[in-house]
Each structure stands twice: as C-alpha cells, then as structure tokens.
Amino acid sequence: MGAESPELDLVISSLAASFEATVARSQDEAAADLALSLRQGRALIEVLYRAQGLEVQLSGGARHSVTLLGDDFCGIGEPVVRVLTWTTAVFQTTASVAAPKRFAGDLIALAREWTRRGAHVDVVTGAGGLRGRLAEAGSDYLCVMAAAGPRYVPRAALTEMTLLREGSAGAS
C-alpha cells in the first residue's frame, strides 16, 4: 500500500469536521429541548416561588407588590390586607421589591385563619361585592355574615378579599 493522497486527507478531514459539527449541533438541540421540556413541566406556583420579587397587574392596569404567595392566591400589603385569586392577575418578576413570603396553603386556609380572628371582610365575586364577618370557610365556600344574614360564596366565584378589620370570632 502506498501513501494516501493529499486530496483524500482533505476529504477525510472535511468529513471529520462536518461529523463533529453535526454531533455538537445535535447535542445543543437536545439540551435546548430538555431545558424547554423542564420549563414547560413546571406549575405556576413553582415559577412564582423562584422569583426574587413579584408584582401583580390587575385588569384595570393597577400594579401592586406581592407580599404573600399561597397555593392559589397572592397577598398585597404588610401585613396582608388584600388577597387576589390567580384567575384575576398577571404576574411580573421584579428585582425592585422583596420576595413574597410563602403561605402554606390555599385561599380557603387563609380564610380559616381570618375566620378564627373574627375578620370582617369585603369580598368580590363575579356576581358583585359582599361585606361582613367571615363566619366559616368550608372546603369549597365561604360564609359571610352580612347585614341581611349569612351569604355563601363558592370558592370558584371568589376573585378578591380585603380584610377590613379583625374582631372577636363570636361578634358580628
């Protein structure tokens, strides 16, 4: 066997470089696909918990710093006096505000805490507003003791709740 020709060396070198570039491109695409899949597999709560600071934008355009983050709501104020369901909000991460505190539970769990403290609230639903003392927080509803008597609010209808004041749980 004789020495290889210079043309053959160039072809082999070119094929080797092309192969290595294809492999590297394929690995980059696979890594990008994996990263995309991992991001798409996250739930909103996971994304929001990782944020260093959050603002919530409401339908009228108002923006507020999020100070508390629960499983299905965000809280505004320090201490929290207003809570909004996720269905009424758009979130934006921001470094200009502190990271929100975490609340271990959903809006019903927070309502139960407020009920034990005799909270008087303003509740907003798709059917309108309601004001009174939180009397109970069931698994999927709130009972608000309004001036005209008890009113029951399905959890699915609740969009916002504002703490007006706290009092004894037995008082109305």
Side-chain angles (χ1 to χ4, degrees), residues 76-134:
I76 298 169
E78 191 59 48
V80 171
V81 294
R82 184 177 179 197
V83 292
L84 308 161
T85 62
W86 290 0
T87 59
T88 61
V90 173
F91 296 96
Q92 175 180 333
T93 59
T94 178
S96 63
V97 298
K101 294 177 185 170
R102 294 183 185 184
F103 181 81
D106 62 4
L107 185 57
I108 293 294
L110 178 70
R112 286 180 178 146
E113 283 189 16
W114 285 9
T115 299
R116 283 190 289 277
R117 298 188 329 223
H120 289 255
V121 295
D122 188 18
V123 173
V124 178
T125 72
L130 177 62
R131 190 173 279 209
R133 181 180 50 83
L134 270 176

Side-chain angles (χ1 to χ4, degrees), residues 32-152:
D33 286 347
L34 177 60
L36 180 62
S37 294
L38 291 174
R39 284 194 309 274
Q40 290 177 339
R42 293 186 297 184
L44 178 60
I45 188 72
E46 294 172 297
V47 173
L48 297 178
Y49 276 162
R50 287 190 171 109
Q52 294 303 308
L54 282 175
E55 283 186 345
V56 61
Q57 179 180 336
L58 305 179
S59 62
R63 292 180 183 270
H64 301 279
S65 297
V66 175
T67 57
L68 185 69
L69 195 56
D71 292 347
D72 61 353
F73 74 93
C74 67
I76 298 169
E78 191 59 48
V80 171
V81 294
R82 184 177 179 197
V83 292
L84 308 161
T85 62
W86 290 0
T87 59
T88 61
V90 173
F91 296 96
Q92 175 180 333
T93 59
T94 178
S96 63
V97 298
K101 294 177 185 170
R102 294 183 185 184
F103 181 81
D106 62 4
L107 185 57
I108 293 294
L110 178 70
R112 286 180 178 146
E113 283 189 16
W114 285 9
T115 299
R116 283 190 289 277
R117 298 188 329 223
H120 289 255
V121 295
D122 188 18
V123 173
V124 178
T125 72
L130 177 62
R131 190 173 279 209
R133 181 180 50 83
L134 270 176
E136 59 186 272
S139 63
D140 63 350
Y141 72 95
L142 300 179
C143 177
V144 178
M145 193 59 77
R151 298 293 184 260
Y152 296 90

